[in-house]
Amino acid sequence: MNEDLMPYDPTVDYTGEPAIKEITPDGSKHIPPWKPLNLTRRRFLQGVVCSGIAVSSTAILFTSGTRPARADARAVERLITLNVNGRKRNVDVAPNETLAHTLRYGLNLIGTKVGCNRAECGACAVMADGVSIYSCSTLTHRIKNKSITTIEGIADSDGTLHPVQQAFIDELGPQCGFCTPGQVVTAVSFLKENPNPTVDEARMAMSGNLCRCGAYDHYLKGVMKASEKV
Amino acid sequence: MAYKLIGKDFTPPDLVAKVTGSAKYAGDFRADGMASIKVLGSPMPHAKVKSIDLSKAEAMPGVLATLVPEDVKQPGPAGMAILSSEPAYVGQPIVAIAAENEQLAADALAAIEVELEPLPFCIDPLESLKPDGPNALTGGNVVGRDVEFQEVKWSGKDFALAGEDGLPQGKVPVEWAFGDVDAAFDAAAVVVEETFVHSSNAHHAMEPRSAAAYWENGKCHVWGSTQSTAFAQPGLAKMIGISPAELVFVAEYCGGGFGGKASAYPLMVLPALMSKKMGGRPAMLRVSRAEEYYNGYARAGFQGWGKLGFNKEGRLTAADVFVVQDLGTTTGFWDFNNVGAAISIVFQPESMRFRAIPVLTNTVPKGAQRGPGENQAANMLEPLFDKAARELGIDRVAIRSINAPGEGGKDAKYGAKQGPVTSAYLKEALANGAEQFNWSERSKASGQRNGSKVRGYGVASAYHSAGAAGFDGLVRLSPDGKLHIHTGVGNLGTFSYASTSRVAAEVLGMAWENCIIERGGTTKNLPWNFGQFGSNTSFTMSRTNFAAATDAKNKLLEIAAMELGGAADDYKLENEMVVATADAGKSMSFADCAKKAIDLGGKFSGMEAPEDINPMTAASVAGLAGSGLIGVSKDNMPKTATVPALAAGFIEIDLDLETGKYEILDYLGVADCGVVMHPQGLAAQIRSGAIMGFGLATTERHIYDPEYGRPNAIGLYQAKPKTYLDVPAALQWAAVDLPDEQSPLGSKGIGEPVEGCASAALLCAISDALGGHMFNRTPVVTDMIINAAAGLPQSHKPLQTNCQ
């Protein structure tokens, strides 16, 4: 009876033997010896990064699935200071690096999501000087003089949620939650500009944020509820 | 029956993490020295890899390891390969490369020289069935559940008989019937007959399916994105080629699945294999939007034909349906079976014949997408009901109600074998909805003109099976008096992992504040649970949690009797205490019972476990043994019939005849999901399911270039899911709220049909606004509406697919 409910499970087409035929580490010269995680590599790296002498190689990019576009990432990274969530953060940034990548991979602010990497979905929305922008389509160097607020900087430092966050909880805004950081940031930015919006104004302001789950109705109710408290 | 928790709103415990950005999805995990993996996808829709030259790539600095098809094990025929030497769709992974960072991996990928020999390809299932048509895979073009991989070609005569625009009806591997279909058609008052096409469309979850892995101390650790935690683990271990005990699997959050991340999948395996090759070094495969399109599955498309016969009262006396499913390149999902099953239950035909053939094409692999088959059935068949209603002069709600299963489903029949169902209240859902929507009054405005706009109304129903049995439940009362509810179901975003956990709390009378849901990874000692797909959680997991909590309850009563005297029957649970029924002074707190359970050992503390539980559950019980009072049980409750989730949708639109644009003025979705567990969660599903359905009905579709077989609807803006501006600011919902007798608290699932009823209702409303125009195609896109309004021919042939 349960068979009716089984998903498409590609694993049924496989046997259980080891998936790679060559299971010993490849001994070629390109592979450096790998040390287990519990060693002090983290502390070593932190020390180097703090001293500012490391040339980090955090170049991360999205490319199409068929042939990668070659981005010129060999251009020199520069150590810059970013004002993120009220703190000054030093980070190495390549000339072609987007803000989303700097945040996620340079500063480990993983709350900013990358859903499309081409300004279609809004999951990467952050505020630059209070204005909601797509961080996936903004070069970090271009906004280095602006004050950046990510989803991690929305709640108070004591953990008190922003009215938008609380309203999204009360109205059960998120479903899968992947678009939620962007929805929160856009709503916060919008209510700063327009604290007493109509539903249509809110809808328009939020329209750059896709939600594949389709939770628009609940998010909108959240925005309107939050507008009573900001 | 009134419950303390069930039927009440609550705040699911993962919400704060979701609104603060601290929720960790698969791509958010980090490990020291994490290498980056990139995958080279096929630029051709079908090709043979003649050679792969890695020498330049491997000589590049920072390149750590490579995997080619020969390095990895291969699936059986029409399986989904990890890496393929016969790529059968654009984007199919051929080579994977790991490097110190993603840029270096991408550079190395560009330096790989792959020689490909193009092979014949096809993107139209009917083309493949032609006498000399191309096969999407070498050696065959047809495969499916219970259908062997084989080559099927229809004869020239089959095609000639159908004519240019008809559906050829050659031999098929799937055929069933009940009743005397031919006689019923002969006696029918009205017969409607149409061919139709349903497009494929991408799942396009917001989170591309990134994955990461490392090996340590003989175990493989994987962070993956999946709808299901416990259920995905053994399959993933099997693909990696290790025992489940050797796999630590973490899947705390899933950024959207809709069936596309139902369980484990090949892309999730790659980091584990690459890491193995690098001596255990952590490796992450970050997946782009385009790669998500290529590898993230899609809803299966259909080309089909349907003929329905009605008596003059509007009863469906005969149904004859023939569908050709577009599988993409793998066995995929059995949408075709579900089309027949859905028709059989939603419309309860007195006689029916169903034929289906699943055909491989060189398009992306198809998987289950929300209501796989059932929702296409709604979109394909509901407009035919409208056509029949018009010919019979019967109201469109009435004709559905006449045929819908209701009154609990006592006379309802399901599927080819016409088996029973556990409960069905579709008739009631239609009645409640019609009343709340004020259908009979409002629908009189159908066809009313206002400038270039015309008012249209639609109603439709949909089905999905909604529950399974035989999985395990596991709860633990810890000595601090907290109830830990272990759930392996997954976190898709419906919050049913939490609402079904509340069943355990309800059984034990626990305050919800004193309950902790243990979930998100195999490190949490998970019971063997079914996955979070197939609208099953609210039924299946209510049962497992009920079973585990009942076991805990029995143990609490036993312990109290042992400690305070008397028999277990002399005690009851009250306010997290075990209290003697006859003497309120004789009591013991749950916390003390948990401490006592540890002292007692044996079954009480999990030192012993039931023999019939799954090895995964047994291992989890062993992991928890001695830490509290363990409630563990397999769900052995009877399940004697199919559990149906049913829904009805009502919609009002204005259609602009000049622009082809429609505006949804009002929508109401009504669910038959048994007892409502979490009203706010149900409201969210009905509304958001409808929104996904509106996209399915009018904008989302695959498009392939017929000449080169390349996909042209990869990005979100091409695909195209609905935005805030495409849907009303508020949507209405309701529920029948009558119990399913085979669910301990009466609940059953609903996630899928709430999409199908909405999409079909919108299709019907668009037709209604156009005076009953039959598009026979999903989605109905703007240019089709403009053509229809202007009386112009459509730019596509009736059965053309994948390239319209």
Side-chain angles (χ1 to χ4, degrees), chain B residues 30-381:
Chain B
R30 300 284 181 270
D32 293 342
M34 198 172 242
S36 288
I37 301 171
K38 291 297 293 177
V39 171
L40 177 70
S42 172
M44 297 181 188
H46 193 191
K48 181 99 196 122
V49 176
K50 300 294 284 181
S51 66
I52 299 172
D53 183 354
L54 296 172
S55 57
K56 282 184 197 154
E58 286 182 333
M60 291 169 75
V63 173
L64 300 167
T66 55
L67 287 172
V68 296
E70 289 70 31
D71 292 333
V72 301
K73 67 178 172 185
Q74 295 293 327
M80 193 169 183
I82 300 166
L83 297 169
S84 178
S85 55
E86 190 194 316
Y89 62 93
V90 171
Q92 180 161 16
I94 301 172
V95 184
I97 202 155
E100 291 285 353
N101 65 49
E102 207 171 65
Q103 180 66 60
L104 295 172
D107 289 348
L109 219 56
I112 296 172
E113 284 171 19
V114 179
E115 193 190 340
L116 294 169
E117 178 193 325
L119 294 176
F121 69 91
C122 95
I123 60 163
D124 180 341
L126 289 178
E127 284 296 315
S128 183
L129 290 168
K130 283 185 174 166
D132 53 354
N135 289 338
L137 297 178
T138 301
N141 65 336
V142 168
V143 70
R145 183 192 198 179
D146 304 327
V147 179
E148 289 289 310
F149 179 57
Q150 58 192 283
E151 182 180 87
V152 176
K153 301 294 171 194
W154 289 347
S155 68
K157 190 178 165 193
D158 293 328
F159 282 86
L161 279 175
E164 199 185 343
D165 294 335
L167 181 76
Q169 298 182 6
K171 60 183 174 183
V172 292
V174 178
E175 178 165 6
W176 50 261
F178 57 80
D180 190 339
V181 180
D182 293 331
F185 275 123
D186 287 343
V190 161
V191 175
V192 290
E193 179 184 346
E194 300 285 342
T195 57
F196 39 73
V197 167
H198 198 298
S199 293
S200 298
N201 69 307
H203 290 67
H204 269 322
M206 292 296 290
E207 177 207 22
R209 55 192 64 217
S210 298
Y214 65 92
W215 296 70
E216 195 172 52
N217 298 329
K219 286 201 175 189
C220 179
H221 299 247
V222 173
W223 293 299
S225 176
T226 172
Q227 299 167 216
S228 315
T229 313
F231 191 79
Q233 200 254 8
L236 181 60
K238 183 178 156 198
M239 276 179 127
I240 297 170
I242 55 179
S243 73
E246 293 171 302
L247 174 62
V248 179
F249 180 50
V250 174
E252 278 183 59
Y253 292 87
C254 174
F258 318 110
K261 297 173 185 165
S263 189
Y265 42 81
L267 227 50
M268 200 194 285
V269 178
L270 259 184
L273 306 190
M274 198 64 97
S275 171
K276 182 88 180 172
K277 202 167 182 190
M278 296 189 295
R281 180 172 179 165
M284 176 173 282
L285 173 66
R286 222 162 55 96
V287 169
S288 70
R289 176 54 49 191
E291 287 165 340
E292 177 65 17
Y293 172 87
Y294 299 133
N295 302 292
Y297 306 114
R299 179 186 296 278
F302 282 102
Q303 292 148 305
W305 165 87
K307 183 176 165 187
L308 306 177
F310 297 81
N311 67 19
K312 63 181 187 328
E313 286 80 32
R315 181 74 179 98
L316 181 65
T317 52
D320 192 1
V321 175
F322 190 115
V323 289
V324 180
Q325 179 177 338
D326 178 355
L327 287 172
T329 54
T330 65
T331 308
F333 198 75
W334 40 90
D335 293 48
F336 58 90
N337 281 344
N338 292 352
V339 168
I343 293 167
S344 78
I345 182 156
V346 173
F347 306 127
Q348 297 289 309
E350 289 178 355
S351 70
M352 177 169 174
R353 178 165 69 147
F354 180 70
R355 287 169 290 169
I357 181 167
V359 181
L360 293 157
T361 61
N362 296 102
T363 59
V364 300
K366 308 301 191 295
Q369 184 183 115
R370 202 173 195 167
E374 296 92 346
N375 288 352
Q376 292 99 311
N379 293 336
M380 296 185 293
L381 273 299

Side-chain angles (χ1 to χ4, degrees), chain B residues 4-5 476-478 480-485 501-502 504-505 508-518 575-577 590-591:
Chain B
K4 264 173 69 182
L5 300 173
R476 178 174 68 107
L477 267 169
S478 49
D480 58 359
K482 303 276 186 195
L483 178 69
H484 300 255
I485 303 150
S501 291
R502 284 159 68 86
L508 294 170
M510 293 288 301
W512 186 236
E513 302 74 56
N514 291 330
C515 297
I516 298 160
I517 300 177
E518 304 284 0
N575 299 327
E576 300 176 18
M577 308 275 286
F590 281 10

Side-chain angles (χ1 to χ4, degrees), chain B residues 469-512:
Chain B
F471 293 87
D472 299 335
L474 176 59
V475 298
R476 178 174 68 107
L477 267 169
S478 49
D480 58 359
K482 303 276 186 195
L483 178 69
H484 300 255
I485 303 150
H486 295 253
T487 172
V489 72
N491 184 2
L492 178 57
T494 61
F495 303 108
S496 57
Y497 81 87
S499 57
T500 55
S501 291
R502 284 159 68 86
V503 170
E506 185 80 48
V507 169
L508 294 170
M510 293 288 301
W512 186 236

Side-chain angles (χ1 to χ4, degrees), chain A residues 124-158:
Chain A
C124 66
V126 301
M127 281 188 271
D129 287 345
V131 177
S132 177
I133 59 167
Y134 289 150
S135 66
C136 79
S137 302
T138 304
L139 293 178
T140 307
H141 280 288
R142 280 198 61 182
I143 47 85
K144 64 186 173 192
N145 296 323
K146 297 195 183 222
S147 171
I148 308 299
T149 306
T150 70
I151 183 67
E152 289 88 350
I154 298 291
D156 285 351
S157 51
D158 68 356

Side-chain angles (χ1 to χ4, degrees), chain B residues 177 242 278 289 295 393 410 414 475 491 536 550 554 565 574 590 595 601 619 682 692 723:
Chain B
I242 55 179
M278 296 189 295
R289 176 54 49 191
N295 302 292
K410 50 183 168 40
Y414 170 80
V475 298
N491 184 2
N536 86 91
T550 303
N554 292 338
E574 203 172 274
F590 281 10
K595 286 174 199 146
L682 174 61
M692 191 172 253
T723 75

Side-chain angles (χ1 to χ4, degrees), chain A residues 1-2 14-15 17 19 30-31 61 65 74 104-105 113 120 170 175-176 183 212 216-218, chain B residues 18 25 28 41 58 64 73 80 102 107 203 238 286 468-469 639 680 687 700 716 722 724 731:
Chain A
M1 195 70 75
N2 290 343
Y14 283 83
T15 57
E17 65 257 30
H30 305 301
I31 300 184
L61 66 162
R74 274 129 324 265
R104 285 183 56 81
Y105 300 96
K113 303 300 185 216
E120 290 175 8
D170 295 344
Q175 286 190 27
C176 84
Q183 305 275 0
R212 182 56 165 152
Y216 300 127
D217 185 321
H218 288 240
Chain B
K18 282 176 173 169
Y25 296 79
D28 297 335
E58 286 182 333
L64 300 167
K73 67 178 172 185
M80 193 169 183
E102 207 171 65
D107 289 348
H203 290 67
K238 183 178 156 198
R286 222 162 55 96
K639 176 178 172 288
Q680 201 176 30
R687 291 165 172 153
E700 295 180 32
L716 293 167
K722 292 298 180 197
Y724 274 96
L731 303 164

